[in-house]
Structures are given as structure tokens and as C-alpha cells.
Amino acid sequence: MQSRSIGIIGIGILVAAATACGGGGGGAGNRYGGPPPPTSTTPPGTTQQVVRAALPSSAIGTENDPTFGLIAGYTQTQTSQVLGYSPGQQVMIENAQSTSSGVPHTLGDTGGQGGFPQNANLSMQSNTPNGGTLSAGFQTGTIQPQTMRGPFTLATGTYFIGCFYHFAEGMRDVLVVAAGAGPGPAATPPPGQTPVPSGGGY
């Protein structure tokens, strides 16, 4: 009788182990930051996506994107790149300049259709409260160094964005919000400068 109980317990352990290992799917899903596969769990809130803004002349650098041309000043990693997210994702917008610089930034939709307009429709005033939607005409308003705005939920579209204060200095980028979208190639920092981890300031 004792050996029969041990056998039943052994089978129970094997079934439990097989159940625990099944359905895990070791893939990370879309390598470009798209939505996780249906079997994955939603990441915790501490993994909030952040778009960082800084002067192109800082360590964020500039990038000659193969699709959109010269872009600079915004990143979802460490150096300038075309931004790419899936619809419905939420982002925080951070001014990554050091507090000692005193340099403000904005992130706004320039109103460009298929390219950057000569006269960008940018504002230092916010037209979307924290927790709003980033869609056509979106303006963060002024963001002081080392502070953030958001979270903003991303609506489908291709947005030619820029900074109200520094658009003429080349602080402009493209934000692509589409299924499976991910960031473009990252810039190389200017000579003698290295990017700093988030929160360090440029």
C-alpha cells in the first residue's frame, strides 16, 4: 500500500511540473518594443516608457535616419533616434538636461504631414493635461530640467515633433505610433561626450 501511495504522489509531482513548465514561451515578443505576446503578463508600472529630451549639441547627439533624415534631441534609449511605440502604450516625457543648465524643453506636434514644416506649430503652453492622449496637435508645454510630464497614452499616427525653444537649432524628431513600431538607429554622441544613464542629466 505504501509503494502505491508513493507512485501516486510521484505522478502528481510530474503533472504539476509539466503544468508549470507549459505555456511559458521563452520569447520576448517583438524585439522593437511592440506589445507582448498574448501569453505574457503586463510588465509592472515601474517599467514606464520614457522619452528623454536634450539639446542636440549635448551627448544625445544627432542621427541621419535613413527614412526621415536628420533628427535630434529625443530618445527612448540614450542618444537621438526616431521614436517608435505601439498604439495605447503610455510614455512619460522627461527633460534630461542637468538642473544646472536651466534649459527648458517641450515636445510638440509640429503639424508636419510627411516632413518637418518650415514654420512649426509649436507652443510653450500645454494643451494636454497629465494623463491625456498624445495625438495630432499635442503639446507638452514647458518642461524644466530633470522633471517629467505624463503619462500620455499614444494614439496611432506619425508625428513630426520638435521643441518650441530649440526647433531652429535642429531639435526635431519623428514619433511613429503603429503596431509593432520600435525605435530607429541611435545616434553616436559628439566627440568627447558620452551619454549618461537616465536621471543623470546632459
Side-chain angles (χ1 to χ4, degrees), residues 13-150:
I13 291 172
L14 286 174
V15 170
T19 302
C21 292
N30 185 324
R31 73 182 193 120
Y32 299 106
T39 56
S40 296
T41 58
T42 303
T46 55
T47 61
Q48 180 76 61
Q49 295 285 324
V50 177
V51 172
R52 300 169 69 211
L55 289 171
S57 58
S58 71
I60 202 168
T62 61
E63 171 64 17
N64 192 5
D65 185 80
T67 303
F68 298 107
L70 194 64
I71 54 96
Y74 300 92
T75 184
Q76 61 194 89
T77 56
Q78 288 188 314
T79 56
S80 296
Q81 60 193 160
V82 169
L83 310 174
Y85 293 99
S86 292
Q89 281 190 283
Q90 290 192 325
V91 297
M92 299 292 290
I93 314 295
E94 176 188 15
N95 180 339
Q97 299 289 163
S98 65
T99 51
S100 62
S101 73
V103 177
H105 291 305
T106 71
L107 184 155
D109 176 19
T110 64
Q113 301 291 319
F116 294 103
Q118 187 138 14
N119 297 312
N121 187 19
L122 296 167
S123 174
M124 70 171 98
Q125 302 298 318
S126 172
N127 64 3
T128 306
N130 283 349
T133 299
L134 195 159
S135 58
F138 174 85
Q139 303 290 323
T140 61
T142 300
I143 305 173
Q144 295 300 332
Q146 296 295 297
T147 62
M148 292 186 177
R149 289 267 173 91

